[in-house]
Amino acid sequence: MSLIDEARVKINEIDKKMVELFEERMKAVLDVLEYKKQHNLPVFDEKREKELLERVSELAGEELNDYCRELYEKIMEISRDYQQDYFNKEVR
Protein backbone atom coordinates (compact mmCIF):
# COMPACT_ATOMS: atom_id res chain seq x y z
CA MET A 1 0.00 0.00 0.00
CA SER A 2 1.34 3.42 -0.89
CA LEU A 3 1.90 6.19 1.63
CA ILE A 4 -1.12 8.11 0.34
CA ASP A 5 -3.33 5.03 0.59
CA GLU A 6 -2.17 4.42 4.17
CA ALA A 7 -2.88 8.04 5.05
CA ARG A 8 -6.35 7.83 3.52
CA VAL A 9 -7.16 4.65 5.43
CA LYS A 10 -6.12 6.40 8.62
CA ILE A 11 -8.22 9.46 7.72
CA ASN A 12 -11.23 7.23 7.06
CA GLU A 13 -10.81 5.56 10.47
CA ILE A 14 -10.53 8.95 12.17
CA ASP A 15 -13.57 10.26 10.28
CA LYS A 16 -15.62 7.29 11.48
CA LYS A 17 -14.65 8.04 15.09
CA MET A 18 -15.33 11.76 14.62
CA VAL A 19 -18.84 11.06 13.30
CA GLU A 20 -19.55 8.79 16.25
CA LEU A 21 -18.31 11.45 18.67
CA PHE A 22 -20.29 14.14 16.85
CA GLU A 23 -23.47 12.08 17.21
CA GLU A 24 -22.70 11.59 20.91
CA ARG A 25 -22.08 15.32 21.31
CA MET A 26 -25.35 16.22 19.61
CA LYS A 27 -27.24 13.92 21.99
CA ALA A 28 -25.67 15.84 24.88
CA VAL A 29 -26.70 19.07 23.15
CA LEU A 30 -30.31 17.93 23.41
CA ASP A 31 -29.80 17.35 27.15
CA VAL A 32 -28.58 20.93 27.40
CA LEU A 33 -31.63 22.08 25.45
CA GLU A 34 -33.92 20.26 27.86
CA TYR A 35 -32.28 22.04 30.80
CA LYS A 36 -32.55 25.39 29.02
CA LYS A 37 -36.25 24.80 28.34
CA GLN A 38 -36.93 23.85 31.96
CA HIS A 39 -35.15 26.98 33.19
CA ASN A 40 -36.41 29.29 30.44
CA LEU A 41 -32.91 30.01 29.13
CA PRO A 42 -32.01 31.05 25.57
CA VAL A 43 -30.28 28.64 23.21
CA PHE A 44 -27.33 31.01 22.75
CA ASP A 45 -25.01 31.33 25.74
CA GLU A 46 -22.23 33.73 24.80
CA LYS A 47 -20.30 33.23 28.06
CA ARG A 48 -20.28 29.43 27.67
CA GLU A 49 -19.16 29.66 24.06
CA LYS A 50 -16.29 31.98 24.93
CA GLU A 51 -15.20 29.61 27.71
CA LEU A 52 -15.33 26.66 25.33
CA LEU A 53 -13.30 28.46 22.68
CA GLU A 54 -10.67 29.39 25.24
CA ARG A 55 -10.49 25.80 26.46
CA VAL A 56 -10.10 24.24 23.02
CA SER A 57 -7.56 26.89 22.08
CA GLU A 58 -5.48 25.81 25.06
CA LEU A 59 -5.81 22.15 24.07
CA ALA A 60 -4.70 22.71 20.49
CA GLY A 61 -1.08 23.15 19.62
CA GLU A 62 0.08 26.54 18.44
CA GLU A 63 0.20 25.45 14.80
CA LEU A 64 -3.46 24.34 14.75
CA ASN A 65 -4.88 26.74 17.34
CA ASP A 66 -6.69 29.03 14.89
CA TYR A 67 -8.04 26.08 12.91
CA CYS A 68 -9.27 24.35 16.05
CA ARG A 69 -11.00 27.54 17.15
CA GLU A 70 -12.64 27.85 13.71
CA LEU A 71 -13.77 24.22 13.87
CA TYR A 72 -15.40 24.73 17.26
CA GLU A 73 -17.05 27.98 16.21
CA LYS A 74 -18.71 25.98 13.43
CA ILE A 75 -19.60 23.11 15.77
CA MET A 76 -21.26 25.55 18.17
CA GLU A 77 -23.17 27.17 15.31
CA ILE A 78 -24.39 23.73 14.23
CA SER A 79 -25.30 22.89 17.84
CA ARG A 80 -27.35 26.07 18.19
CA ASP A 81 -29.13 25.38 14.91
CA TYR A 82 -29.83 21.80 15.98
CA GLN A 83 -31.23 22.93 19.32
CA GLN A 84 -33.41 25.54 17.64
CA ASP A 85 -34.69 23.09 15.02
CA TYR A 86 -35.41 20.47 17.68
CA PHE A 87 -37.19 23.03 19.85
CA ASN A 88 -39.30 24.24 16.91
CA LYS A 89 -40.35 20.65 16.09
CA GLU A 90 -41.46 20.11 19.69
CA VAL A 91 -43.46 23.34 19.75
CA ARG A 92 -45.58 22.32 16.77
Side-chain angles (χ1 to χ4, degrees):
M1 188 180 308
S2 71
L3 181 61
I4 192 169
D5 290 334
E6 289 176 17
R8 287 179 175 160
V9 166
K10 187 173 185 176
I11 289 170
N12 289 343
E13 291 169 0
I14 293 167
D15 286 344
K16 182 180 184 297
K17 292 175 187 175
M18 287 177 68
V19 169
E20 290 169 357
L21 289 171
F22 179 73
E23 289 175 338
E24 189 176 332
R25 188 183 197 284
M26 296 308 276
K27 288 177 185 174
V29 162
L30 293 182
D31 293 339
V32 170
L33 176 63
E34 191 58 39
Y35 178 90
K36 288 177 178 180
K37 285 181 356 189
Q38 291 174 5
H39 294 87
N40 201 28
L41 298 171
V43 168
F44 179 64
D45 183 346
E46 184 176 6
K47 181 181 178 213
R48 165 67 178 150
E49 291 195 9
K50 283 182 180 179
E51 290 170 354
L52 177 62
L53 288 174
E54 288 174 17
R55 186 172 51 80
V56 297
S57 291
E58 291 173 4
L59 292 172
E62 188 176 326
E63 183 178 345
L64 296 176
N65 184 292
D66 290 340
Y67 298 104
C68 186
R69 188 176 185 91
E70 184 178 343
L71 171 64
Y72 272 84
E73 286 172 347
K74 188 63 179 176
I75 288 172
M76 289 185 300
E77 177 186 334
I78 291 167
S79 295
R80 286 190 308 270
D81 290 347
Y82 185 57
Q83 287 181 25
Q84 197 62 55
D85 289 346
Y86 194 87
F87 179 78
N88 289 340
K89 286 178 187 175
E90 285 188 339
V91 171
R92 286 189 233 164

